[in-house]
């Protein structure tokens, strides 16, 4: 059996036509390379190179062996690649709807760390359309997003159903109310979430009731909206999952819009298998295992 390093030495000499250049190419001294070539020739029982003042050339035996040596080296390199691919952990490609609170993902990542899981998913944020397109193209394995009636092809798994509520500063006069009338908020300035998937319905609801809010902020950043509300500078309409310290979530009378958040899968046949993925399991725990349907 020929050692792999001897093949490297032989190919380097054959390609460079020089023992000194070959030694530099494989990062050994010339005496070491010469000793290796001599050992290879003994093992094969044939002289592989002719050496003269003009340089180094392959003997007929060396030329025949060169074909085999290149094939062996290529197959060895391919074997290394295949072994590395087999051993490399498969990274979950997860899409996350931009209007899912960052705290949800943070808590799921904390679950992974607590369990000592090192295989963190590759997370991509996007809107509904972008995530659906990535799923269709196989560029995502699964997406945490809104579940709609037309998503059957993605084998949807609903994790939570939540309503849209008015988010108020914790010290707002109406913060303790069970529900508020739209007219009661007419004097408050609104922080508008431009990227909200329910924005048309919200605008229509307030317009029909003659409430024309004044805006303190128009943004695509949920964190900016929450910062403005916590500062007491405005109010906003957000899904209940954004509840947190310094905030009060209050229902708006007659506004009954809800959303379902769940998992959509690029390959429906793998939906059940993905339930055991550590990060998917962590998401289910964050939302509550009982909420999955």
């Amino acid at each position: 059996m020929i050692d792999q390093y001897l093949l490297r030495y032989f190919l380097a000499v054959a390609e460079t036509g020089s023992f000194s250049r070959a030694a530099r190419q494989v990062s050994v001294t010339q005496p070491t390379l010469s000793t290796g070539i001599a050992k290879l020739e003994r093992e094969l029982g044939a002289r592989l190179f002719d050496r003269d003042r003009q340089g180094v050339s392959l003997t007929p035996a060396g030329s025949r062996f060169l074909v085999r040596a290149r094939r062996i080296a290529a197959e060895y390199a391919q074997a290394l690649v295949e072994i590395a691919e087999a051993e490399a952990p498969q990274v979950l490609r997860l899409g996350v709807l931009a209007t899912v609170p960052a705290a949800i993902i943070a808590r799921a990542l904390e679950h992974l760390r607590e369990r000592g899981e090192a295989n963190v998913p590759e997370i991509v944020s996007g809107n509904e359309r972008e995530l659906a397109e990535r799923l269709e193209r196989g560029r995502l394995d699964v997406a945490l997003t809104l579940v709609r009636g037309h998503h059957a092809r993605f084998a949807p798994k609903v994790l939570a159903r939540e309503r849209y509520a008015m988010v108020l500063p914790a010290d707002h006069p109406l913060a303790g109310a069970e529900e508020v009338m739209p007219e009661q908020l007419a004097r408050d300035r609104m922080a508008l979430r431009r990227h909200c998937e329910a924005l048309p319905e919200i605008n229509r609801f307030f317009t029909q009731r003659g409430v024309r809010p004044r805006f303190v902020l128009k943004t695509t950043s949920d964190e900016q909206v929450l910062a403005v509300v916590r500062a007491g500078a405005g109010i906003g309409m957000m899904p209940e999952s954004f509840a947190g310290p310094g905030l009060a979530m209050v229902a708006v009378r007659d506004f009954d819009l809800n959303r379902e958040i769940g998992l959509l899968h690029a390959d429906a046949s793998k939906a059940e298998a993905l339930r055991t993925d550590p990060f998917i399991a962590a998401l289910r725990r964050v939302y509550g295992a009982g909420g999955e349907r």
Side-chain angles (χ1 to χ4, degrees), residues 165-175 180-193 202 206 211-219 222 224-238 246-250 252:
M166 189 63 66
V167 56
L168 307 173
D171 60 355
H172 191 281
L174 298 173
V180 295
M181 299 285 289
E183 296 77 9
Q184 290 178 281
L185 302 168
R187 294 184 179 182
D188 287 285
R189 299 184 69 184
M190 181 76 72
L192 178 69
R193 301 168 65 239
I202 293 171
F206 280 95
V211 178
R212 308 265 181 196
R214 297 172 301 123
F215 296 104
V216 65
L217 174 70
K218 295 181 180 181
T219 181
D222 290 318
Q224 289 181 5
V225 171
L226 294 174
V228 165
V229 175
R230 286 193 177 98
I235 62 176
M237 284 287 286
M238 305 183 79
L247 305 172
M249 289 286 183
V250 182
V252 178

Side-chain angles (χ1 to χ4, degrees), residues 8-13 16-34 37:
R8 289 175 52 240
Y9 290 2
F10 169 76
L11 290 172
V13 176
T16 63
S18 164
F19 273 65
S20 59
R21 288 195 294 270
R24 289 194 296 271
Q25 179 173 302
V26 297
S27 302
V28 298
T29 65
Q30 185 170 333
T32 298
L33 183 133
S34 297
I37 294 297

Side-chain angles (χ1 to χ4, degrees), residues 90-138:
Q90 295 298 310
V91 176
L92 178 73
R93 298 172 301 169
L94 173 71
V96 176
L97 184 67
T99 58
V100 167
I104 296 290
I105 304 304
R107 288 200 292 272
L109 290 171
E110 288 171 2
H111 277 298
L112 284 190
R113 185 179 62 184
E114 290 167 0
R115 293 172 60 88
E117 295 284 353
N119 196 11
V120 177
E122 177 185 300
I123 301 173
V124 177
S125 178
N127 60 34
E128 279 189 86
R129 178 182 55 80
E130 291 167 341
L131 297 183
E133 288 178 354
R134 285 177 175 269
L135 287 170
E136 291 279 12
R137 296 175 183 176

Side-chain angles (χ1 to χ4, degrees), residues 38-276:
K39 179 180 179 181
L40 180 61
E41 290 176 328
R42 287 196 301 274
E43 290 184 2
L44 295 174
R47 185 165 48 85
L48 301 174
F49 295 104
D50 284 327
R51 306 165 180 82
D52 55 34
R53 292 182 178 179
Q54 280 69 45
V56 178
S57 60
L58 288 164
T59 64
S63 295
R64 291 193 296 272
F65 182 65
L66 178 61
V67 176
R68 299 286 185 180
R70 284 174 172 164
R71 185 178 303 167
I72 292 169
E75 290 180 354
Y76 180 76
Q78 181 60 33
L80 292 178
V81 170
E82 291 176 357
I83 290 172
E85 289 177 347
E87 293 181 349
Q90 295 298 310
V91 176
L92 178 73
R93 298 172 301 169
L94 173 71
V96 176
L97 184 67
T99 58
V100 167
I104 296 290
I105 304 304
R107 288 200 292 272
L109 290 171
E110 288 171 2
H111 277 298
L112 284 190
R113 185 179 62 184
E114 290 167 0
R115 293 172 60 88
E117 295 284 353
N119 196 11
V120 177
E122 177 185 300
I123 301 173
V124 177
S125 178
N127 60 34
E128 279 189 86
R129 178 182 55 80
E130 291 167 341
L131 297 183
E133 288 178 354
R134 285 177 175 269
L135 287 170
E136 291 279 12
R137 296 175 183 176
R139 296 174 64 185
L140 292 175
D141 299 310
V142 62
L144 178 66
T145 184
L146 296 185
V147 176
R148 306 281 194 180
H150 60 274
H151 284 157
R153 67 189 186 281
F154 294 127
K157 298 290 182 181
V158 177
L159 299 182
R161 188 171 188 265
E162 59 180 357
R163 65 180 179 177
Y164 293 85
M166 189 63 66
V167 56
L168 307 173
D171 60 355
H172 191 281
L174 298 173
E178 289 189 8
E179 65 176 14
V180 295
M181 299 285 289
E183 296 77 9
Q184 290 178 281
L185 302 168
R187 294 184 179 182
D188 287 285
R189 299 184 69 184
M190 181 76 72
L192 178 69
R193 301 168 65 239
R194 290 184 180 274
H195 59 306
C196 178
E197 60 276 349
L199 186 58
E201 291 89 343
I202 293 171
N203 286 341
R204 186 161 49 250
F205 175 80
F206 280 95
T207 298
Q208 288 173 349
R209 283 152 181 79
V211 178
R212 308 265 181 196
R214 297 172 301 123
F215 296 104
V216 65
L217 174 70
K218 295 181 180 181
T219 181
T220 57
S221 168
D222 290 318
E223 292 305 315
Q224 289 181 5
V225 171
L226 294 174
V228 165
V229 175
R230 286 193 177 98
I235 62 176
M237 284 287 286
M238 305 183 79
E240 289 178 300
S241 54
F242 282 95
L247 305 172
M249 289 286 183
V250 182
V252 178
R253 183 175 297 180
D254 298 328
F255 189 77
D256 299 322
L257 187 65
N258 295 273
R259 71 175 188 174
E260 288 187 328
I261 293 291
L263 301 171
L264 303 184
H265 304 82
D267 187 341
S269 67
K270 297 180 180 179
E272 287 305 313
L274 278 175
R275 284 171 59 93
T276 60

